[in-house]
Amino acid sequence: MPLKSYGLEGVVAAESELSCIDGEKGILEYRGYDVHKLAKNSSFEEVAFLLWYGYLPKKKEFEKFKNDLRNRREVPEEIVELLKLLPSTTHPMIALRTAISFLSSFDERLEDYSEERNMERSKRLLAVFPTIVAYFDRIRNGKEVIPPDPHLNHTANFLYMLRGERAGEIETRVLDLDFLLHAEHTMNASTFTARISASTLADMYSGIVAAIATLMGPLHGGASQKVMEMLLEIGEVDNVEGYVKRALAAGERIMGFGHRVYKVMDPRAIELRKLAQELGEYTGDLTWYEISEKLREVVYREKGLHPNVDFYSASIYANLGIPVDMFVCMFAIARVAGWTAHMIEQYRDNRLIRPLQRYVGRKNLKYIPLEDR
Ligand SMILES: CC(C)(COP(=O)(O)OP(=O)(O)OC[C@H]1O[C@@H](n2cnc3c(N)ncnc32)[C@H](O)[C@@H]1OP(=O)(O)O)[C@@H](O)C(=O)NCCC(=O)NCCS
């Protein structure tokens, strides 16, 4: 009898050198480096290098790498035209998914699966995600797009293309660390999707489109949008207690809490909590942070659940002025680093991913011809 594991809990689906989690101790490492140490000393671009190449870059290598990314930020004019064709009510993740799918048409060597080409594609994908997200937001608001600024780093440039003016140092650093903390996270649903796609030898864009689609769901990356909707509904600290009790009594989930692997507080949430407070103090608006803190206390008391990565990132995005429906795009902008790294790993040592099912339907039915039914 094959093993039954709903939600594939406890199933090892691949070997990977990219990241590891200790859910009991609350440890997350990228390529052997503790995520807290990386958050203290590193940047999102450096972590992308680490994930793809397996080591931390030397100064010169890193300069060249950042330059490589900078040179790949522009998107073909046709992509801009496509974004203009989409109804302004389109969810930004759907716009991103559609644009990445379209982008594959411009890859003249789509059939070339060499690691060199896939590394090149990874850089291109990572470089254009912020451009597409920022362009779509401006287009849907009837504004001119703002081309990438090669003088700015990945995150600063994203905020610039989105707002039309340069962001402050603290804002840029907070979002860059948020990206760093979202860059990779073992065999989560969207990463698994990307690996399944690679295991069929589908091209990299196809896997990334599938991963974007999977990330959207509210039980995965879509949770941060739901967290913000909850914070807005709660409105003030005094309403937290009543909200949580009512929601739990109604059997509802409190978004941004709980995790399949972590049994203690998610190490990314520990970092994001500090960043949410720092940013709130900087902007002078601690409303969302303070409601979040009360939620953390009440949900733990009532249900024993800890916040996950999507919880404090909602307050951060809100304080950066990022529209609520774009929250999940922030996750995608970061996680494309991990998705591409996983796909490269999968192509390198591939075996088709093809699990079993347990059939629970009817059997041995007598067939009745159409005219006799
Ligand atoms: C992340 C998540 C999907 C993990 O789910 P999972 O490992 O499949 O765990 P289960 O759905 O089996 O939940 C186990 C128990 O905890 C409860 N639980 C888990 N998360 C909960 C939450 N956020 N709010 C309320 N109860 C929750 C479930 O109701 C269940 O309780 P029961 O045993 O009394 O029925 C789940 O915690 C969740 O839905 N969280 C909210 C969405 C979210 O924040 N997603 C982002 C993840 S990074």
Side-chain angles (χ1 to χ4, degrees):
M1 177 74 85
L3 196 70
K4 178 177 79 179
S5 177
Y6 289 138
L8 298 184
E9 183 164 0
V11 174
V12 173
E15 291 194 340
S16 176
E17 295 181 356
L18 297 171
S19 63
C20 79
I21 301 174
D22 183 331
E24 304 291 332
K25 294 191 183 133
I27 296 172
L28 167 63
E29 290 180 351
Y30 295 164
R31 294 270 192 188
Y33 292 100
D34 189 283
V35 83
H36 295 296
K37 287 213 177 81
L38 290 169
K40 190 157 183 255
N41 302 296
S42 202
S43 67
F44 173 66
E45 285 164 305
E46 202 180 17
V47 155
F49 184 103
L50 173 68
L51 291 171
W52 289 340
Y53 295 101
Y55 63 93
L56 288 167
K58 291 201 166 63
K59 246 186 179 169
K60 254 193 175 166
E61 267 176 317
F62 191 41
E63 284 312 312
K64 182 185 173 309
F65 178 72
K66 285 192 285 184
N67 216 30
D68 283 354
L69 294 180
R70 244 176 248 143
N71 293 336
R72 287 165 177 76
R73 286 177 185 162
E74 301 267 7
V75 292
E77 192 47 43
E78 289 89 336
I79 296 274
V80 182
E81 292 310 312
L82 169 82
L83 295 175
K84 286 181 183 164
L85 282 176
L86 296 175
S88 60
T89 49
T90 306
H91 193 283
M93 271 294 264
I94 293 179
L96 177 65
R97 195 190 67 204
T98 307
I100 296 301
S101 190
F102 190 25
L103 192 68
S104 65
S105 315
F106 297 90
D107 188 329
E108 287 163 2
R109 293 164 68 187
L110 206 56
E111 300 302 313
D112 182 346
Y113 282 86
S114 64
E115 193 153 319
E116 192 191 347
R117 287 303 300 168
N118 278 334
M119 202 61 98
E120 165 60 32
R121 287 185 186 110
S122 302
K123 284 184 195 166
R124 179 149 171 73
L125 284 161
L126 188 116
V128 298
F129 264 47
T131 312
I132 293 168
V133 171
Y135 277 15
F136 181 65
D137 189 55
R138 292 192 69 85
I139 289 167
R140 70 175 172 165
N141 287 304
K143 297 180 186 159
E144 286 295 318
V145 301
I146 296 177
D149 180 343
H151 303 292
L152 299 175
N153 76 20
H154 190 76
T155 305
N157 174 59
F158 167 64
L159 286 170
Y160 167 70
M161 291 188 297
L162 187 69
R163 296 174 173 180
E165 56 186 43
R166 290 188 177 197
E169 205 183 302
I170 291 182
E171 290 179 302
T172 305
R173 189 173 54 80
V174 167
L175 186 59
D176 195 68
L177 289 181
D178 175 275
F179 288 162
L180 181 155
L181 293 162
H182 281 82
E184 157 61 12
H185 206 236
T186 75
M187 202 54 65
N188 56 86
S190 57
T191 300
F192 187 42
T193 304
R195 284 194 85 125
I196 292 171
S197 198
S199 87
T200 70
L201 298 185
D203 67 274
M204 199 168 228
Y205 302 91
S206 298
I208 298 303
V209 167
I212 295 172
T214 307
L215 183 67
M216 267 191 85
L219 296 190
H220 193 5
S224 55
Q225 178 174 336
K226 297 286 169 200
V227 169
M228 196 61 224
E229 287 164 6
M230 169 177 74
L231 295 178
L232 286 162
E233 189 184 333
I234 291 172
E236 53 185 282
V237 174
D238 288 349
N239 297 337
V240 169
E241 196 86 36
Y243 177 92
V244 172
K245 286 189 175 151
R246 185 207 54 73
L248 291 178
E252 290 168 18
R253 292 195 170 215
I254 313 289
M255 299 316 268
F257 284 85
H259 198 274
R260 174 65 64 80
V261 185
Y262 293 116
K263 303 303 165 212
V264 292
M265 189 148 152
D266 183 331
R268 301 166 299 172
I270 292 175
E271 292 294 332
L272 289 163
R273 181 179 172 217
K274 289 188 267 179
L275 294 170
Q277 183 178 14
E278 186 186 343
L279 186 65
E281 280 163 2
Y282 169 75
T283 60
D285 185 359
L286 282 160
T287 317
W288 308 126
Y289 174 75
E290 282 165 1
I291 296 175
S292 300
E293 280 299 86
K294 185 71 184 171
L295 270 165
R296 185 172 74 91
E297 180 195 314
V298 177
V299 174
Y300 185 71
R301 192 188 68 216
E302 294 295 319
K303 194 79 187 172
L305 291 168
H306 296 282
N308 58 48
V309 69
D310 291 307
F311 187 60
Y312 289 103
S313 41
S315 311
I316 291 175
Y317 303 147
N319 268 6
L320 286 170
I322 290 165
V324 179
D325 62 356
M326 270 174 58
F327 284 13
V328 59
C329 297
M330 302 303 105
F331 200 149
I333 285 174
R335 186 55 61 82
V336 69
W339 290 334
T340 46
H342 272 275
M343 289 188 82
I344 288 172
E345 234 184 19
Q346 184 70 37
Y347 287 127
R348 200 180 287 158
D349 183 21
N350 185 47
R351 183 154 195 246
L352 178 72
I353 297 173
R354 204 297 184 194
L356 296 174
Q357 61 163 24
R358 186 188 300 279
Y359 179 67
V360 293
R362 296 181 295 172
K363 280 185 172 172
N364 296 325
L365 299 186
K366 185 169 177 273
Y367 182 81
I368 302 164
L370 187 58
E371 55 276 13
D372 299 336
R373 276 175 227 159

